[in-house]
Amino acid sequence: MADFSEDQIADFKEAFQLFDLRGDNKIGYIQCGDVLRALGQNPTNAEVMKVLGNPKQDEMNTKFLSFEQFLPILQTVNKNRDQSTVEEITDGFRVFDKEGNGKITSSEVRHVLTSLGEKMREDEVEALLAGLEDANGCIDYEDFVHMVLTG
């Protein structure tokens, strides 16, 4: 699994085993959403059902997953979460894009980062925005979101 480090996979396996109530290194389909949420994901019940292949209700209580079967499910849910996060944040910045050109003023970005949600300090914002402004004092917010989320 290229998306997770060996240490992460070991941590995931340890958490997975906490849900193994029968001692056979498997969890019930019914537990899959709980394990995903314990690992920091937040899938809806519909998303869990989809990644499990839309099993019938009685299969939820009778089918089981090994860790090897669970890991690709975790990876899929993680990728879906990452994608929706990018879209949600980009949509949030799009509200400030008055001209519809994919750019907002750096002053608007500063305002959002220092006054809404989990507020950042001015020096943190300056470090984050360093070198991102164009000649007009604007920032391409899609590039900004990708830069922030991917490091």
Side-chain angles (χ1 to χ4, degrees), residues 131-145:
L132 295 177
E133 291 179 76
D134 65 13
N136 298 322
C138 293
I139 294 173
D140 182 310
Y141 56 86
E142 287 187 24
D143 290 346
F144 174 70
V145 169

Side-chain angles (χ1 to χ4, degrees), residues 39 79-80 104-105 125 129 144 151:
L39 294 173
K79 283 182 182 175
N80 291 345
I104 59 176
T105 65
V125 173
L129 298 181
F144 174 70

Side-chain angles (χ1 to χ4, degrees), residues 60-79:
M60 292 298 290
N61 295 316
T62 59
K63 285 194 162 188
F64 294 86
L65 292 168
S66 67
F67 181 72
E68 290 71 26
Q69 293 167 310
F70 173 78
L71 195 54
I73 290 172
L74 174 60
Q75 198 168 29
T76 299
V77 170
N78 189 53
K79 283 182 182 175

